[in-house]
Amino acid sequence: VQLQASGGGLVQAGGSLRLSCAASGSIFRINAMGWYRQAPGKQRELVAAVTSGDSTNYVDSVKGRFTISRDNAKNTVYLQMNSLKPEDTAVYYCNADLTTYQAMGVIRHYWGQGTLVTVSS
């Protein structure tokens, strides 16, 4: 199983970016998918998550600015980031809780590679 993230880059404050993360491999079912971020010198934090039933939750600092969504047919999760602030600068990581055909009774946690988001003031 692989999670491939894309969409990071450099943007001015107030701008927008859209991150994507596609899961591939011998996937039986994906439960929750989410985005974390880690800024320099800080711990990794959960930014947003979406369940298989499309319930979402967000860290307070991004509520009203970020929107997480998923396309189950494509095994892909998105993070639309609007009104970006310099404090949103971080490496963003996607993750997924999923089961594979080889181990359908076991939920495992997978991480994608990080994608850097830099917001200039």
Side-chain angles (χ1 to χ4, degrees):
V1 175
Q2 288 187 327
L3 271 63
Q4 182 68 45
S6 61
L10 172 64
V11 64
Q12 289 188 331
S16 298
L17 283 174
R18 189 190 194 211
L19 306 182
S20 300
C21 177
S24 61
S26 184
I27 298 169
F28 174 67
R29 175 184 168 85
I30 300 178
N31 296 329
M33 303 184 81
W35 290 93
Y36 286 70
R37 66 186 178 187
Q38 187 165 19
K42 295 187 177 181
Q43 289 188 331
R44 190 174 296 190
E45 67 170 351
L46 175 65
V47 176
V50 57
T51 69
S52 57
D54 286 330
S55 294
T56 59
N57 66 282
Y58 299 89
V59 66
D60 285 346
S61 60
V62 308
K63 287 180 179 177
R65 300 188 298 122
F66 291 11
T67 301
I68 189 170
S69 62
R70 62 191 281 175
D71 183 333
N72 293 324
K74 297 181 179 179
N75 288 339
T76 299
V77 63
Y78 305 97
L79 186 67
Q80 178 66 43
M81 305 185 293
N82 299 327
S83 302
L84 282 160
K85 304 176 181 181
E87 50 264 43
D88 295 317
T89 295
V91 177
Y92 284 70
Y93 299 90
C94 61
N95 74 356
D97 291 334
L98 59 85
T99 57
T100 63
Y101 282 103
Q102 291 77 10
M104 287 187 283
V106 180
I107 299 174
R108 291 198 171 101
H109 198 71
Y110 291 85
W111 289 95
Q113 90 289 3
T115 184
L116 177 62
V117 172
T118 304
V119 184
S120 63
S121 57

